[in-house]
Amino acid sequence: MTITDNRYLLNNGIDPLALVEKYGSPLYVYDTAIIERQYKRMEAAFSVPDLKINYACKANTNINILKFLKELGAGLDAVSIQEVELGIRAGFRPEDIMFTPNSVAIDEVSAALEFGVKINIDNISIMEQFGHEHPEVAVGIRINPHIMAGGNSKISTGHVDSKFGISIHQLPHVLKVIEATGLHVEGLHMHTGSDILDANTFLLAADILLNTTHHFPHLEYVDFGSGFKVPYRENDIETDIEEVGARISERFNEVCKEYGRELSLIFEPGKFLVSQSGYFFVKTNVVKPTPSTVFLGVDSGLNHLIRPMFYNSYHRIENISNPAGKPRIYTVVGYICETDTFGSNRKIAEVHEGDILCMFNAGAYAFSMASNYNSRFRPAEVLIHEGKDYLIRKRETMNDILRNQVEVELHTEAMAKV
Ligand SMILES: *Cc1c(COP(=O)(O)O)cnc(C)c1O
């Protein structure tokens, strides 16, 4: 979003205030141009014979976002059987969907097999069960290289006591299971966690995986997961995708030569593709000065955007109703009956009640983590594409709150006798 003549404008000159007027507040808005820019950047960064970019759809599961990424040429990374089904409904071919669950029962893995999608196994127990039942089905295995990375403990998945993947130290055990069951391993996978800041950490982890390829003679692909950091603040650091791309490609091509076959190189970005494409617009309900700070109470809360409270993540907040206002210091809070602070002591152009605030980086892990806590409705979602706006999810109503609740008549005779 840019400021022109003291007005905030989205791509193609779309006025966000007009969108809020039209669809109401709070409102999620996504811009396809930014998704496309990020996808193409990633595509251009790697020079390998076969690059696959699988969109990690848990970041934003609106089916229109999935379809748009499919049109760009992406595959899909699904972490639940429901995401697998969503991918099929969005039109992805089963072979372009990779199912990478954690802590699921063999039934869910078998259900994915029915859909014909690619399966990535993340523990030795499932390897054994799956290998016994389906030695003919080619699968990937998720290895944990134990490289400490990630923005915070909830999202970093590579450390030694992480629940994710099969420890690299258990490689001898893995090889024994393959020998005993005949499990057909066609892929090696890792996903070390979000927010990898430097190319070196990434390469260190990648190298650990690449150094094991000679143990697996039937490989078709190596999947390096994700962890690309995007900027949240102005002048924030971000993963230098071009540098990571150049260095990984060089190393990967060497490894393929040693291995004797061209392997596919797969990535599974979520945040990198969609985070910056999203904006979350909220209305200021109250301006509340207290002895310590001035609170801005908005018509949203941790029920709609939980990242600041759950991960301590930073989302830029700007007053799009009054861009030229004198900057003041505010603490932006939600309306939920818990402390749900979107941002503390932020410098924001002077805010009046009724002003619309914009929270940036609202495309990933924002709506997809929203809930109905406090029996509040989840917001509407709008997609903008080539100068037009499309409603892609309706705002909820009371029917959505009550759907699936079963009202029963309780018989209280026994109680009455007491
Ligand atoms: C969540 C997840 C991703 C995407 O992570 P981002 O930080 O959003 O890019 C990729 N792969 C797997 C297996 C995941 O669980």
Side-chain angles (χ1 to χ4, degrees), residues 169-186:
H169 305 307
Q170 289 170 303
L171 187 61
H173 190 173
V174 165
L175 296 175
K176 271 190 204 133
V177 171
I178 292 172
E179 205 182 295
T181 62
L183 182 74
H184 179 172
V185 175
E186 65 162 354

Side-chain angles (χ1 to χ4, degrees), residues 228-249:
F228 304 108
K229 189 194 177 309
V230 295
Y232 284 91
R233 302 162 198 254
E234 271 169 297
N235 308 317
D236 203 358
I237 37 167
E238 63 180 310
T239 304
D240 186 341
I241 188 89
E242 287 73 23
E243 193 202 342
V244 170
R247 291 178 61 186
I248 289 262
S249 301

Side-chain angles (χ1 to χ4, degrees), residues 94-384:
E95 59 268 38
D96 292 331
I97 300 178
M98 176 88 72
F99 180 46
T100 302
N102 172 259
S103 297
V104 300
I106 187 75
D107 313 10
E108 191 166 328
V109 180
S110 304
L113 193 59
E114 300 270 299
F115 280 112
V117 302
K118 289 201 179 293
I119 290 168
N120 201 354
I121 298 179
D122 120 310
N123 62 77
I124 289 176
S125 167
I126 297 280
M127 268 186 79
E128 281 173 336
Q129 295 175 62
F130 196 89
H132 279 301
E133 283 175 40
H134 311 285
E136 74 291 353
V137 178
V139 295
I141 53 173
R142 179 171 183 171
I143 302 288
N144 191 332
H146 301 309
I147 291 296
M148 189 57 186
N152 66 60
S153 66
K154 286 197 182 83
I155 54 177
S156 107
T157 59
H159 52 91
V160 75
D161 53 357
S162 156
K163 68 165 185 165
F164 294 98
I166 301 165
S167 169
I168 188 72
H169 305 307
Q170 289 170 303
L171 187 61
H173 190 173
V174 165
L175 296 175
K176 271 190 204 133
V177 171
I178 292 172
E179 205 182 295
T181 62
L183 182 74
H184 179 172
V185 175
E186 65 162 354
L188 295 178
H189 171 275
M190 68 168 198
H191 171 64
T192 56
S194 288
D195 286 8
I196 288 169
L197 301 183
D198 63 301
N200 287 335
T201 317
F202 202 94
L203 279 154
L204 218 59
D207 244 3
I208 290 174
L209 199 67
L210 290 174
N211 288 337
T212 66
T213 49
H214 63 278
H215 291 293
F216 303 92
H218 310 296
L219 291 182
E220 297 292 333
Y221 69 85
V222 173
D223 183 339
F224 285 140
S226 181
F228 304 108
K229 189 194 177 309
V230 295
Y232 284 91
R233 302 162 198 254
E234 271 169 297
N235 308 317
D236 203 358
I237 37 167
E238 63 180 310
T239 304
D240 186 341
I241 188 89
E242 287 73 23
E243 193 202 342
V244 170
R247 291 178 61 186
I248 289 262
S249 301
E250 192 187 335
R251 177 81 181 103
F252 188 76
N253 290 329
E254 269 172 29
V255 168
C256 288
K257 217 176 274 166
E258 285 162 28
Y259 190 73
R261 182 141 34 103
E262 271 177 11
L263 302 172
S264 304
L265 176 59
I266 306 180
F267 285 96
E268 308 162 341
K271 189 185 282 180
F272 184 81
L273 295 177
V274 296
S275 174
Q276 292 160 288
S277 79
Y279 307 92
F280 185 43
F281 299 103
V282 299
K283 195 176 81 191
T284 311
N285 284 338
V286 283
V287 178
K288 181 177 182 177
T290 68
S292 66
T293 183
V294 181
F295 286 105
L296 300 177
V298 301
D299 63 348
S300 181
L302 62 80
N303 51 329
H304 297 156
L305 179 65
I306 201 171
R307 299 187 75 255
M309 307 87 190
F310 195 44
Y311 300 128
N312 246 325
S313 56
Y314 182 97
H315 289 260
R316 224 166 90 208
I317 304 175
E318 290 177 24
N319 181 5
I320 65 165
S321 294
N322 185 24
K326 191 165 176 272
R328 295 186 183 281
I329 304 296
Y330 298 103
T331 292
V332 183
V333 296
Y335 57 13
I336 291 295
C337 294
E338 315 245 338
T339 300
D340 53 348
T341 305
F342 287 113
S344 297
N345 301 317
R346 297 293 185 84
K347 202 190 261 186
I348 302 172
E350 183 166 16
V351 180
H352 303 99
E353 291 179 358
D355 281 359
I356 303 299
L357 308 185
C358 176
M359 303 196 198
F360 289 73
N361 289 86
Y365 307 104
F367 190 97
S368 66
M369 295 181 89
S371 76
N372 290 117
Y373 188 44
N374 281 202
S375 296
R376 297 274 184 191
F377 306 146
R378 288 182 301 167
E381 294 181 294
V382 167
L383 189 64
I384 57 175

